[in-house]
Amino acid sequence: MANIGLYIELKDGVLKKSNRELLSLARKSGQAVHAVLFCPDVQPYLEELKGIQTVIQVKGADLSYQPDRYARTLAAVIRDFKLEVFIGIFSAQGKDLFPRLAAKAKASLVNDCLAVDLDARKAVKPVYSGKLLAEYQVEAGTALFTVRPNVIAVEAITTTNAPEIKNAVMDSGELRTKIISVQKSASQKIDLTEAEIIVSGGRAMKAKENFAILEELAKVLNAGVGASRAAVDAGFATSDMQVGQTGKVVNPKLYIACGISGAIQHFVGMKTSKIIVAVNKDPEAPIFKKADYGIVGDLFTIVPLLKEEFKKVLS
Ligand SMILES: Cc1cc2nc3c(=O)[nH]c(=O)nc-3n(C[C@H](O)[C@H](O)[C@H](O)COP(=O)(O)OP(=O)(O)OC[C@H]3O[C@@H](n4cnc5c(N)ncnc54)[C@H](O)[C@@H]3O)c2cc1C
């Protein structure tokens, strides 16, 4: 039986939703699964971690995310617990951490996977801005995979088996790169990379204040609000809202693009959305070639109508 490791990402002490997807994938593998958490107390998370073999709790005076320390600590965990496969989320932190970890652990990394076979050490990932899907096989050494959020179905936990808790010590060595401060977004926004529904606005929003109509629709749908780069560059939206090649890669069940033309650089960030709805007043807009449903019309008329209709249906 192989040893599968799993990096559990916490955000403000809360287990990120995508961890449940990784846990479902790992539980199905039939291998021994070991979850690693950097936290002072694992008790609040144990309910979610049922059905795996071990919880490895990393302890230390300062557990704040510092990439050098996290990478060295995880490399030691991989060595000490003889982990042959190690997986994490393709999140902002995963993108920062896993390449460093691959270097420290002398492991092979396949990033941004859409499917992973943990037993066969194989993964499928998009290449050339999503034009092709490539299959990778890690032949030797430790295999690291990061998995795109929202691609793996979360399975209900059917076992009551509690994992055994083991400890690891946080590395306290030199920091070559130090995170000095983290600026949090003022509002409590839904994380776009994990959102199930996203309403996005483009240049056609015309002003920052006009994003309020997208926020109202998003509130009804419990959705996140995204933006095109043109909207961000014009100052209508903040950079953490940008979807696309130089923004976030999102993978919701429903993506509603309002006043967005459908440039390739935007499309690569949202093309794996399960359903794409486009609202655009130009019937020739390229987005209509990519959308599952298209509404030709002025977004300032359509979006409030959509909000009212969804409100009726969902109430
Ligand atoms: C290297 C590079 C990286 C890039 N990265 C990104 C990225 O990450 N994300 C990204 O989004 N872009 C990115 N871009 C920019 C990209 O090429 C496009 O310029 C951008 O996506 C266009 O944004 P838009 O669709 O909002 O604006 P536009 O292309 O101007 O489209 C606006 C659309 O709104 C429609 N419209 C106008 N008024 C209304 C109305 N009242 N109601 C309904 N529809 C209306 C118009 O018909 C039009 O289709 C990148 C470009 C480069 C070169």
Side-chain angles (χ1 to χ4, degrees):
M1 190 186 272
N3 284 315
I4 310 269
L6 202 153
Y7 173 60
I8 298 285
E9 196 176 322
L10 302 174
K11 192 176 179 198
D12 299 328
V14 178
L15 198 108
K16 280 192 83 158
K17 177 178 149 258
S18 305
N19 291 303
R20 298 189 184 101
E21 298 166 27
L22 298 187
L23 282 160
S24 295
L25 175 77
R27 281 193 198 95
K28 273 202 292 195
S29 72
Q31 314 285 0
V33 180
H34 312 273
V36 187
L37 280 93
F38 289 69
C39 65
D41 180 14
V42 290
Q43 287 302 324
Y45 313 107
L46 290 182
E47 194 62 31
E48 300 268 14
L49 297 169
K50 280 181 177 161
I52 66 167
Q53 277 59 45
T54 321
V55 170
I56 302 166
Q57 180 183 7
V58 178
K59 291 182 171 178
D62 178 9
L63 293 170
S64 61
Y65 177 67
Q66 292 293 352
D68 285 344
R69 284 199 185 130
Y70 268 51
R72 286 196 296 257
T73 305
L74 289 174
V77 167
I78 287 173
R79 183 194 61 221
D80 297 346
F81 288 85
K82 298 183 174 49
L83 306 179
E84 285 126 76
V85 177
F86 194 73
I87 56 174
I89 308 168
F90 186 61
S91 57
Q93 196 185 91
K95 285 182 214 174
D96 185 53
L97 176 62
F98 271 68
R100 294 168 197 269
L101 175 58
K104 301 273 180 243
K106 295 190 169 44
S108 296
L109 168 64
V110 188
N111 251 333
D112 192 17
C113 301
L114 301 181
V116 181
D117 182 335
L118 296 172
D119 302 321
R121 297 154 61 88
K122 278 185 185 170
V124 175
K125 65 164 281 169
V127 290
Y128 301 119
S129 298
K131 287 193 184 71
L132 295 174
L133 293 179
E135 194 176 8
Y136 286 71
Q137 163 91 62
V138 179
E139 300 273 0
T142 307
L144 307 186
F145 299 106
T146 59
V147 185
R148 187 180 289 195
N150 288 343
V151 296
I152 296 164
V154 176
E155 315 253 328
I157 306 170
T158 51
T159 172
T160 53
N161 291 349
E164 187 183 348
I165 299 168
K166 294 187 177 169
N167 293 320
V169 180
M170 179 75 161
D171 174 274
S172 57
E174 181 206 3
L175 291 181
R176 288 191 296 172
T177 307
K178 187 174 183 185
I179 297 177
I180 300 164
S181 69
V182 176
Q183 257 183 313
K184 288 192 183 154
S185 175
S187 59
Q188 284 294 316
K189 290 178 185 165
I190 293 181
D191 181 351
L192 290 184
T193 59
E194 297 199 322
E196 299 212 334
I197 304 178
I198 295 174
V199 181
S200 271
R203 197 195 307 271
M205 297 307 299
K206 287 190 188 145
K208 192 177 174 186
E209 301 69 46
N210 292 339
F211 263 77
I213 63 166
L214 301 188
E215 273 150 24
E216 284 168 26
L217 172 59
K219 201 171 166 198
V220 173
L221 295 170
N222 192 26
V225 178
S228 71
R229 178 158 152 185
V232 172
D233 288 349
F236 307 160
T238 51
S239 57
D240 60 335
M241 293 162 72
Q242 185 178 320
V243 172
Q245 186 183 319
T246 42
K248 288 183 175 161
V249 175
V250 299
N251 189 27
K253 286 185 183 153
L254 174 61
Y255 189 88
I256 307 177
C258 306
I260 293 178
S261 57
I264 184 67
Q265 294 89 354
H266 185 81
F267 187 58
V268 296
M270 41 63 92
K271 67 183 285 185
T272 53
S273 306
K274 312 287 176 297
I275 295 174
I276 298 171
V277 176
V279 181
N280 199 302
K281 68 177 184 185
D282 175 7
E284 301 300 323
I287 188 94
F288 286 129
K289 293 199 174 70
K290 295 152 183 172
D292 299 283
Y293 299 94
I295 304 171
V296 179
D298 187 329
L299 74 91
F300 293 102
T301 311
I302 305 292
V303 171
L305 287 176
L306 283 176
K307 183 190 80 178
E308 290 311 319
E309 286 307 311
F310 277 121
K311 226 184 202 172
K312 275 188 226 157
V313 174
L314 297 172
S315 66

